Amino acid sequence: MNIPNANDGKCLRYPDPLPLHPAELPPDQAAHILLDLMHRATTTPFHWSYIDKPADGSLILLYLPPGPNTQFPIDGVRYGEHETRYNAPVVVKGQQVEIEVGEIKYGFAPQSMDQMASRVRRRFRFARAGNPQLTLVHYSRGPAMPVAPAMHQPMRQYPLQAIQAPAVYVAGDRMGQRIPLPGMAPMPQQVPQTGMPGMMPGAPGPFNMLHSQNASMAELEQRRREQAKLRAMQQGGVARQQPGAGRPDDDHDDDDIISVQNLAMARYRRNHEWMNHVFSHAAHGEVNAPPKEPDFGVFDLKELEEKKEKLEKEIEELKSKPSHRRQAAKQLNDDADVSMMSATES
């Protein structure tokens, strides 16, 4: 089987043809296209292929893990400047996200009809949302500059070699699962030594990190299964089975299931490590806690005290009125008695 190598331009790309887009692709439109292709990538395996002198307006979806050591595969075009990158805020389905744009200009295809270097390559990927490993590439035309005859040197050796490598799911629940192409030999039933299942051996960055977790968890899973079989045989529940006694198809299915489970577990641990790093301050309480709202809510304590004093005065006045009436009545009675006594004496 021919081993894919990123140095000669082999890359994992979405197999279905995408419609041409001759005009310049703005970041917001690229974000909507990329979001739609992200959903398709969960159900469609990517194929190992080449990019070679693409036509103007071509749209290509690639699987490129982000990282300083990840290089864009050779596309058969020689460019007159370095790639520039910047982040652009876009709105996708009512939410604002950032999309990373990589642009390189003044490209031409050596040993072709290009007399002026006017090809432009732009690639887009989500920077803080979505799947940053999926990159949408668009080829168009832009400002031109003359090409020196000495620059017409091919970027790679021709003819391009045929690639005999299985297709790979790069997203979704089946991420990492390999799909043999028509005419290929059966898949070897073993854990690869380097790289993710079906990925490039010796690939940098996330490939090796994810595979190290995948390999260790696969080994632990295999030991657990062997110990479970041994306990079952000791208990007389099942008969002893020799290694490799099962059907080849069943073994292959088990390997695929284990790979998916291990990859899912690795993503789960990685995501929770990131979340723990971001939200670690929450474990120690809120650093900038908002001021506590007073117990009286929206009421003013001073105003309530004034109203209380006013009501207490009114209550005292109401209590004092009956006593005044009684005193006045008693005074009237006393005056009447004195008058009667005076009249009697006279």
Side-chain angles (χ1 to χ4, degrees):
M1 183 177 68
N2 198 9
I3 301 298
N5 186 351
N7 295 332
D8 56 7
K10 297 183 178 70
C11 56
L12 274 173
R13 59 183 292 180
Y14 184 73
D16 298 339
L18 302 177
L20 294 176
H21 195 284
E24 180 179 346
L25 188 63
D28 55 346
Q29 188 174 356
H32 285 83
I33 297 175
L34 187 56
L35 182 63
D36 177 64
L37 292 176
M38 282 171 51
H39 295 293
R40 299 189 198 179
T42 60
T43 57
T44 304
F46 280 41
H47 292 197
W48 288 104
S49 181
Y50 297 98
I51 305 176
D52 190 60
K53 304 174 184 178
D56 296 342
S58 298
L59 283 174
I60 302 172
L61 182 64
L62 299 178
Y63 177 83
L64 293 176
N69 296 327
T70 302
Q71 298 180 356
F72 193 86
I74 298 174
D75 56 5
V77 180
R78 188 182 299 275
Y79 297 93
E81 66 174 15
H82 295 289
E83 185 181 50
T84 59
R85 298 185 184 182
Y86 59 91
N87 287 4
V90 297
V91 178
V92 180
K93 293 187 176 181
Q95 296 184 355
Q96 185 171 355
V97 298
E98 285 191 5
I99 189 169
E100 181 183 276
V101 183
E103 183 180 60
I104 186 169
K105 301 178 181 178
Y106 304 111
F108 68 97
Q111 298 180 351
S112 67
M113 300 298 294
D114 290 349
Q115 300 299 324
M116 301 291 290
S118 61
R119 294 176 182 254
V120 178
R121 184 188 74 203
R122 293 182 179 90
R123 52 172 170 162
F124 308 88
R125 73 174 185 91
F126 287 113
R128 298 183 180 178
N131 189 344
Q133 298 176 341
L134 296 180
T135 300
L136 180 66
V137 187
H138 178 244
Y139 290 88
S140 61
R141 294 283 178 171
M145 62 181 296
V147 179
M151 298 293 293
H152 279 277
Q153 300 295 328
M155 296 292 296
R156 52 161 55 115
Q157 295 182 354
Y158 293 94
L160 300 177
Q161 299 180 358
I163 304 176
Q164 295 294 327
V168 185
Y169 283 96
V170 299
D173 296 336
R174 304 175 66 182
M175 179 179 179
Q177 183 175 349
R178 298 165 293 174
I179 305 298
L181 299 179
M184 287 185 57
M187 298 293 298
Q189 301 179 15
Q190 60 182 4
V191 179
Q193 297 299 319
T194 56
M196 280 176 53
M199 299 299 179
M200 295 184 297
F207 287 111
N208 290 336
M209 179 182 66
L210 189 57
H211 170 65
S212 62
Q213 298 175 350
N214 184 18
S216 60
M217 286 186 289
E219 184 178 357
L220 292 176
E221 179 67 16
Q222 183 66 23
R223 291 180 181 176
R224 186 191 65 79
R225 291 169 57 189
E226 293 177 354
Q227 292 176 358
K229 289 182 179 180
L230 181 59
R231 286 194 300 267
M233 288 187 292
Q234 291 176 352
Q235 296 174 359
V238 294
R240 181 181 299 274
Q241 296 183 1
Q242 298 295 331
R247 295 184 302 170
D249 294 340
D250 293 342
D251 293 341
H252 176 61
D253 294 339
D254 290 342
D255 291 341
D256 289 342
I257 294 173
I258 292 173
S259 297
V260 173
Q261 292 175 347
N262 294 335
L263 290 170
M265 179 61 69
R267 293 197 303 269
Y268 175 85
R269 291 184 176 179
R270 178 195 61 192
N271 293 339
H272 275 263
E273 289 176 355
W274 290 348
M275 292 172 61
N276 183 54
H277 177 71
V278 174
F279 299 105
S280 59
H281 67 276
H284 306 285
E286 299 183 4
V287 179
N288 298 322
K292 184 179 180 181
E293 186 176 353
D295 297 335
F296 298 97
V298 297
F299 299 102
D300 187 3
L301 179 59
K302 184 178 180 181
E303 183 179 357
L304 291 177
E305 292 291 344
E306 292 177 354
K307 289 183 178 180
K308 178 184 175 183
E309 293 178 358
K310 183 178 180 182
L311 291 175
E312 288 178 349
K313 290 181 179 179
E314 292 179 356
I315 292 173
E316 292 296 332
E317 291 177 358
L318 292 175
K319 288 182 178 180
S320 63
K321 284 182 179 180
S323 61
H324 289 311
R325 288 196 186 102
R326 286 193 297 269
Q327 291 179 1
K330 184 178 180 181
Q331 184 69 31
L332 289 174
N333 291 332
D334 293 343
D335 293 343
D337 292 341
V338 171
S339 299
M340 290 177 64
M341 292 176 63
S342 300
T344 303
E345 290 178 354
S346 60

